[in-house]
Amino acid sequence: LGLSLYTYTAARAAPLLFLLSLALIWLRSRELGINRRALVRSCVAILGTMAAVALPLILYFLRHPEFFGEHAAYVSIFNDRFSAGDPLAALWTSSSQTVLMLVGLASDPNLRHNPAARPAFEWFWGIWLAIGLLSALVSWRKAAHFFALLWTGVFLAPVVLSAEGVPHSLRSIVLLPGLCLIAVLGMEWAGGVLARGLRPSW
């Protein structure tokens, strides 16, 4: 968590993902058989370590607060330079282009971000993403499904709220682990359906 803050700006959402995941575990601790005191101790240790690792960066932004959100504001859908005064249209363009890149139908043209000039996933992986997303939404109460949706939602926000250079594969890279999990959930669901269909009648 601490090291992620030194990478791309979108990674600043990682602590939010951690805290939201912690809240989910806290609410379901009895069901999962987790000791809440041990959970709090673990959380304190993790956040303390994160703060220690990120301390130089934190001190820098405390001394220079004007730089903390400068890049995010520059690439935002609310910047007239990229939105032409219409942030809703910029949001639609950013969202649709990002989705097309993630399902294999578009690619980031910037060779610095995407030297192979390929989409984030191939089209057939996009099918598994769609199946997995539907499965996760239907079974959102399951921890793995909820976590995959949470990961995707938290890291999708900074991507679609940015209007510069869309689709942007570098800005979207933090999404990929969560999307891989969603695709695997789709495969798991399809495997379960297939297993039930092939079950002998006897």
Side-chain angles (χ1 to χ4, degrees), residues 24-194:
L24 170 66
I25 295 171
W26 176 272
L27 292 173
R28 301 186 60 187
S29 58
R30 292 182 180 177
E31 178 187 344
L32 298 172
I34 294 174
N35 183 291
R36 285 187 170 182
R37 288 186 178 180
L39 184 63
V40 170
R41 288 196 298 268
S42 299
C43 177
V44 170
I46 291 170
L47 292 178
T49 305
M50 181 196 77
V53 171
L55 185 59
L57 189 63
I58 294 170
L59 291 175
Y60 177 82
F61 283 132
L62 287 174
R63 292 169 183 162
H64 307 281
E66 68 276 13
F67 295 141
F68 180 76
E70 183 180 37
H71 181 68
Y74 175 74
V75 302
S76 168
I77 59 172
F78 300 103
N79 186 342
D80 290 345
R81 178 187 178 99
F82 302 111
S83 68
D86 191 347
L88 288 179
L91 176 62
W92 167 253
T93 300
S94 178
S95 302
S96 59
Q97 288 298 311
T98 298
V99 169
L100 289 174
M101 178 183 68
L102 295 174
V103 298
L105 299 178
S107 60
D108 184 348
N110 190 330
L111 296 181
R112 182 170 70 89
H113 306 156
N114 185 22
R118 299 178 67 85
F121 297 115
E122 299 296 343
W123 64 267
F124 60 85
W125 191 257
I127 295 174
W128 287 119
L129 278 175
I131 296 172
L133 183 60
L134 181 61
S135 172
L137 289 171
V138 170
S139 305
W140 66 271
R141 292 182 181 275
K142 295 181 179 179
H145 294 71
F146 189 84
F147 180 74
L149 291 172
L150 192 61
W151 183 299
T152 302
V154 166
F155 289 120
L156 185 62
V159 177
V160 300
L161 291 175
S162 302
E164 179 262 340
V166 295
H168 200 291
S169 57
L170 181 59
R171 195 175 294 133
S172 305
I173 197 169
V174 73
L175 268 172
L176 302 188
L179 292 176
C180 287
L181 178 56
I182 284 181
V184 169
L185 292 174
M187 295 175 186
E188 180 188 43
W189 176 84
V193 170
L194 184 61

